[in-house]
Amino acid sequence: MNTQSTIYLDYASTTPVDPRVASKMMEFLTPDGEFGNPASRSHRYGWKADEAVEEARSHVANLVNCDPREIVWTSGATEADNLAIKGVARFYKSKGNHIITSKIEHKAVLDPCRQLEREGFEVTYLDPDEGGIISPEAIKSAMRDTTILVSIMHIHNELGTLNDLEAIGNITRKAGVFFHVDAAQSTGKVDIDLSSLPVDLMSFSAHKTYGPKGIGALFVRRKPRVRIEALIHGGGHERGMRAGTLPTHQIVGMGEAFKIAKEQMKEDHEKIKAFHTKFLKEAMKIEHAYINGDVDNKVPNILNISFNFVEGESLIMGLKDIAVSSGSACTSASLEPSYVLRALGRKDELAHSSIRFSFGRFTNEEDIDKTLSILHNVVERLRELSPLWEMHLDGVDLDTVQWNTH
Amino acid sequence: MAYSKKVVDKFENTLNNPKAFNVGSFDPSELNIGTGMVGAPACGDVMKLQIKCEPQGNTHVITDVKFKTYGCGSAIASSSELVEMLMGKTLEEAKEIKNKEIVDALELPPIKIHCSVLAEDSIKEAIENYESKQ
């Protein structure tokens, strides 16, 4: 099937590379381009590549208002999360062994935490409220004398909900505890001002913001200083925090993408906000559709909806001309429904029936209209196929049914 | 997606042409109807299978089938496949249907084999229900 005929509404999963970014990246690959190793100090190939890397670093720093020296290149947000969490924990283990995070963090945060538990650290996994927000009070009450790190995401990847970084950071600062934020979904969506935010470490990804896959960055604050133990050794690049030859073209791509994000954030936001308003209004005309995540405290580019009495994977198969993702168990290898929706207290069947629509820079009005029309049609057809819908129409309360699970 | 073309086609055909693929319901209180409902919403799949039978000689023959399925694409395809297998079979023959036949017909991936097991359970239960009424 030609993917171009499929409407792409999965921007929270990844974005296409902006053509302006791709053409910039091309300048750093071929023999007639600046292909040098940025670490080569002895010739102009190296100097030129180094110049490009540092310019890109400035673009990234500029978007989030920090010092370029606070940006460490990584292979992506997953590595940045690993570097922040394991790096802080291992460096400061003599100070304490307790970490606070939440049950609905991305696996790139949860799995390093699990690894640290195996190494003797203790981790508290906080419950979100029913809207998917982590309350600063919950963090405050989970603090111990041995707490060294709090890791809470900014924008939630499945829900689009926003945590209050300032309120959480004020608590961690007071307690003398480091605060790491996974901001993979945030860049180009909301303003981030690290000159005033009480955040110590922040993870970024290029490919959620129209840059290439395989490159990300970790912000590591200089004042007050945060120290981390490196994960990768071999040459002392990136001030000893991350060894390995810098991938100039990837870095330049991320820099260009973040530069464009800064220039275009307002324009992107306004367009996407209008799509969100329309989509929400029309999709909610479907009976028994429920928004997952606090709709008053979220970004407009992500919209997560459960359509009761319809299973998510079959809905995705029905929406075959639309690229979206699901919290349904059946789309995952584990057959478990979304751990995120379960943590919000959603019933399993609603967790099974969730679809995440995410809009982006290249979404147009026609995509939205076409998707809405297909969505209405497919939900109706699947409900015609659904014994649960039939029971519901017959007035049966599904919660009182004795299911024959075998 | 790791689905075979057979699963995708079966699912899409059933979705787009529900009547032709026996989607629907019989009145479960009728004596010549056997109903089997298996699975649970919390597990992500529920199958309701209904057979209409009539006595023929010293056995009963399935003359019509209706089903409704809530579940993933392969659950819906598995039900639909089973329904096709059941048409015109005697109850003895229907009892012999094994989930493996559905797996083979649809080339189900290993992680979706439970869908075919559920389908096998649904016909067993429908027959049990029918026989209890005779």
Side-chain angles (χ1 to χ4, degrees), chain A residues 237-254:
Chain A
H237 308 72
E238 297 298 281
R239 296 165 197 276
M241 286 185 270
R242 207 283 192 179
T245 296
L246 293 174
T248 315
H249 63 296
Q250 300 286 90
I251 288 171
V252 163
M254 182 163 176

Side-chain angles (χ1 to χ4, degrees), chain A residues 218-291:
Chain A
L218 179 66
F219 158 80
V220 184
R221 189 175 288 285
R222 287 165 68 88
K223 278 180 199 166
R225 189 171 180 203
V226 186
R227 301 190 63 189
I228 53 176
E229 194 180 293
L231 299 177
I232 298 175
H233 304 89
H237 308 72
E238 297 298 281
R239 296 165 197 276
M241 286 185 270
R242 207 283 192 179
T245 296
L246 293 174
T248 315
H249 63 296
Q250 300 286 90
I251 288 171
V252 163
M254 182 163 176
E256 192 67 12
F258 277 38
K259 183 182 139 209
I260 294 170
K262 175 135 187 143
E263 293 161 1
Q264 223 175 300
M265 190 172 345
K266 198 164 175 281
E267 187 187 322
D268 284 349
H269 181 81
E270 270 165 25
K271 185 179 95 166
I272 290 165
K273 198 165 176 230
F275 291 158
H276 178 264
T277 305
K278 180 173 195 176
F279 201 94
L280 192 61
K281 184 167 157 259
E282 293 302 317
M284 296 315 281
K285 285 183 182 164
I286 297 174
E287 283 177 88
H288 297 282
Y290 303 92
I291 302 166

Side-chain angles (χ1 to χ4, degrees), chain A residues 122-395:
Chain A
E122 290 173 12
V123 182
T124 300
Y125 300 91
L126 296 174
D127 280 306
D129 69 14
E130 59 183 22
I133 310 293
I134 308 302
S135 93
E137 290 70 36
I139 288 168
K140 202 171 183 177
S141 29
M143 286 281 192
R144 303 179 193 166
D145 292 343
T146 52
T147 307
I148 50 173
L149 178 69
V150 171
S151 180
I152 297 291
M153 72 208 305
H154 187 205
I155 294 174
H156 197 279
N157 55 304
E158 283 189 34
L159 307 169
T161 46
L162 274 156
N163 281 313
D164 187 345
L165 300 186
E166 188 157 4
I168 296 170
N170 287 335
I171 292 165
T172 56
R173 274 287 153 82
K174 215 172 197 174
V177 167
F178 293 116
F179 182 24
H180 166 251
V181 175
D182 180 339
Q185 295 287 347
S186 309
T187 44
K189 318 297 190 305
V190 291
D191 279 316
I192 296 173
D193 181 1
L194 286 170
S195 74
S196 63
L197 268 182
V199 168
D200 302 297
L201 302 122
M202 191 176 262
S203 304
F204 302 111
S205 166
H207 77 96
K208 312 278 191 193
T209 310
Y210 312 98
K213 294 163 189 63
I215 185 74
L218 179 66
F219 158 80
V220 184
R221 189 175 288 285
R222 287 165 68 88
K223 278 180 199 166
R225 189 171 180 203
V226 186
R227 301 190 63 189
I228 53 176
E229 194 180 293
L231 299 177
I232 298 175
H233 304 89
H237 308 72
E238 297 298 281
R239 296 165 197 276
M241 286 185 270
R242 207 283 192 179
T245 296
L246 293 174
T248 315
H249 63 296
Q250 300 286 90
I251 288 171
V252 163
M254 182 163 176
E256 192 67 12
F258 277 38
K259 183 182 139 209
I260 294 170
K262 175 135 187 143
E263 293 161 1
Q264 223 175 300
M265 190 172 345
K266 198 164 175 281
E267 187 187 322
D268 284 349
H269 181 81
E270 270 165 25
K271 185 179 95 166
I272 290 165
K273 198 165 176 230
F275 291 158
H276 178 264
T277 305
K278 180 173 195 176
F279 201 94
L280 192 61
K281 184 167 157 259
E282 293 302 317
M284 296 315 281
K285 285 183 182 164
I286 297 174
E287 283 177 88
H288 297 282
Y290 303 92
I291 302 166
N292 297 307
D294 183 355
V295 75
D296 298 319
N297 193 7
K298 65 183 268 309
V299 288
N301 58 299
I302 298 176
L303 185 50
N304 190 314
I305 310 179
S306 289
F307 300 94
N308 206 1
F309 315 112
V310 168
E311 195 279 330
E313 193 225 54
S314 61
L315 184 49
I316 285 201
M317 276 178 82
L319 299 171
K320 65 182 167 109
D321 294 326
I322 302 158
V324 288
S325 74
S326 167
S328 157
C330 290
T331 56
S332 72
S334 64
L335 294 183
E336 284 293 314
S338 161
Y339 66 97
V340 173
L341 295 185
R342 290 176 84 160
L344 301 197
R346 280 290 194 214
K347 289 192 301 183
D348 277 355
E349 50 264 48
L350 280 180
H352 278 294
S353 70
S354 79
I355 302 279
R356 179 187 69 183
F357 301 91
S358 50
F359 318 118
R361 186 176 291 163
F362 306 106
T363 307
N364 60 43
E365 187 99 28
E366 199 189 330
D367 295 338
I368 299 290
D369 292 342
K370 205 170 156 196
T371 301
L372 283 165
S373 137
I374 295 171
L375 179 66
H376 275 265
N377 184 284
V378 172
V379 170
E380 191 180 315
R381 282 170 182 275
L382 282 168
R383 281 182 176 166
E384 196 186 324
L385 253 165
S386 166
L388 304 182
W389 178 246
E390 183 181 60
M391 291 166 87
H392 166 74
L393 292 180
D394 288 342

Side-chain angles (χ1 to χ4, degrees), chain A residues 313 320 333 352 385 390 404 406, chain B residues 3 25 42 48 69 73 125:
Chain A
E313 193 225 54
K320 65 182 167 109
H352 278 294
L385 253 165
E390 183 181 60
N404 192 350
H406 285 245
Chain B
Y3 282 144
S25 297
K48 188 185 83 166
T69 291
E125 235 184 67

Side-chain angles (χ1 to χ4, degrees), chain A residues 107-118:
Chain A
K107 294 283 184 191
V109 164
L110 292 176
D111 287 350
C113 285
R114 295 273 184 233
Q115 174 57 30
L116 288 173
E117 283 183 285
R118 286 189 285 271

Side-chain angles (χ1 to χ4, degrees), chain B:
Chain B
M1 200 171 299
Y3 282 144
S4 66
K5 190 174 179 303
K6 287 178 180 165
V7 172
V8 175
D9 287 349
K10 194 73 170 176
F11 168 79
E12 285 180 358
N13 292 336
T14 306
L15 187 67
N16 294 329
N17 206 349
K19 277 215 173 68
F21 283 82
N22 295 57
V23 174
S25 297
F26 294 126
D27 178 352
S29 64
E30 297 283 333
L31 284 180
N32 62 342
I33 302 297
T35 303
M37 180 134 88
V38 293
C43 305
D45 28 34
V46 177
M47 290 182 184
K48 188 185 83 166
L49 182 76
Q50 294 185 299
I51 49 173
K52 183 189 259 182
C53 308
E54 61 184 39
Q56 203 175 85
N58 51 3
T59 183
H60 296 255
V61 172
I62 298 170
T63 57
D64 203 357
V65 189
K66 295 263 187 237
F67 84 101
K68 288 204 173 193
T69 291
Y70 160 90
C72 57
S74 62
I76 289 169
S78 295
S79 302
S80 190
E81 188 65 36
L82 172 69
V83 166
E84 250 173 66
M85 292 176 178
L86 290 173
M87 288 298 210
K89 283 214 162 62
T90 65
L91 293 187
E92 285 69 30
E93 289 165 340
K95 283 176 192 169
E96 291 303 306
I97 293 176
K98 291 280 170 283
N99 76 299
K100 177 86 170 41
E101 294 170 53
I102 298 168
V103 173
D104 292 345
L106 292 174
E107 296 167 10
L108 286 183
I111 198 167
K112 298 294 185 179
I113 287 182
H114 71 276
C115 297
S116 68
V117 174
L118 209 58
E120 185 189 321
D121 290 345
S122 72
I123 180 58
K124 291 224 160 73
E125 235 184 67
I127 293 172
E128 211 172 284
N129 176 258
Y130 174 79
E131 288 181 336
S132 72
K133 289 177 175 178
Q134 304 309 308

Side-chain angles (χ1 to χ4, degrees), chain A residues 79-99:
Chain A
E79 189 192 325
D81 288 341
N82 271 269
L83 180 56
I85 294 166
K86 292 177 187 163
V88 163
R90 289 172 186 165
F91 194 92
Y92 293 98
K93 62 174 182 265
S94 61
K95 280 186 65 186
N97 71 339
H98 180 236
I99 296 163

